Amino acid sequence: MATLALLFGLFIVLRGLQPEVHRDGEGPLAATGDPRHQEAGAFDPVKGGPWTLGYPLCLMQGDQPATIDSVGPAKTVGAGFRFLGAEIRQFATARGHMPIGSVDGYPPQLPDPLQPAVGFSVSTRCTKSGLPPTYTELLIGVDRKAGGDGGGWRGIKVGYTVGGRHRAVILGFDILVCGPAVTNEPHLCPEFFAATPSATSG
């Protein structure tokens, strides 16, 4: 019984060390604020690269800043993909000065200073509609691997600390390089799927 109690106690301690993982909109740090939000961006497996993609970050709950401690995939597919790094761009929104969506190159050539994502404290509040006056943009750099099968991230996992508590948010954004590893995406990779009809079967 003593051994069982010790193991149970160890489980509780280890569980306490694990970050609380939540979906977009269900914790302090958010992007769209919608846990059902899902979108994907895909790149040509032969042409171009590297690229930078931009995603919003904001505070959905509470008033304490959320300090980022990690940026990575929620899940990965394939091996023909490289993560180059993550930066933060914070700027005042105005006509002609907007979020990037995606641009060629990493790090991107932008008029605003970039800061490493890890260690940055997000304090801008989420808005119900439109862009906030101050925008915090997570910039993720990616590239393809020559001869790879494509692939990438299925969701973005951002670890952060707020109020001394470690959490992680899963954002519903896929980042992909087209190839055999990327299935069920004919609208994103039409040339690849046209060339390999068997990829859409089943």
Side-chain angles (χ1 to χ4, degrees):
M1 292 294 293
T3 302
L4 190 59
L6 180 63
L7 289 173
F8 181 74
L10 183 61
F11 170 77
I12 295 297
V13 170
L14 290 174
R15 186 177 178 188
L17 295 176
Q18 297 298 315
E20 175 189 332
V21 179
H22 63 85
R23 295 186 298 171
D24 193 354
E26 297 181 344
L29 188 63
T32 67
D34 181 359
R36 297 166 298 179
H37 181 88
Q38 190 69 44
E39 65 179 82
F43 298 97
D44 191 293
V46 177
K47 301 175 184 176
W51 306 275
T52 303
L53 298 99
Y55 304 99
L57 287 178
C58 58
L59 283 182
M60 191 81 184
Q61 300 175 7
D63 298 317
Q64 293 180 296
T67 301
I68 298 170
D69 51 52
S70 64
V71 177
K75 297 179 183 177
T76 60
V77 293
F81 176 92
R82 285 195 303 141
F83 169 53
L84 301 179
E87 305 281 335
I88 292 288
R89 171 195 182 211
Q90 193 171 65
F91 61 98
T93 54
R95 182 174 296 182
H97 198 189
M98 304 293 281
I100 64 164
S102 67
V103 296
D104 290 338
Y106 182 84
Q109 300 299 310
L110 297 171
D112 312 291
L114 305 182
Q115 304 178 57
V118 173
F120 185 88
S121 293
V122 179
S123 57
T124 50
R125 302 289 305 178
C126 299
T127 56
K128 291 185 178 179
S129 61
L131 294 177
T134 300
Y135 193 94
T136 302
E137 189 171 37
L138 173 64
L139 303 173
I140 295 180
V142 301
D143 202 357
R144 59 190 173 87
K145 283 185 180 177
D149 63 348
W153 292 6
R154 293 289 190 183
I156 302 170
K157 185 176 183 179
V158 181
Y160 67 97
T161 300
V162 61
R165 188 175 178 183
H166 183 46
R167 301 177 184 233
V169 59
I170 304 296
L171 306 178
F173 300 103
D174 295 347
I175 307 171
L176 304 165
V177 173
C178 295
V182 179
T183 58
N184 302 322
E185 303 287 358
H187 60 296
L188 294 174
C189 305
E191 292 182 7
F192 171 78
F193 276 82
T196 55
S198 61
T200 60
S201 63

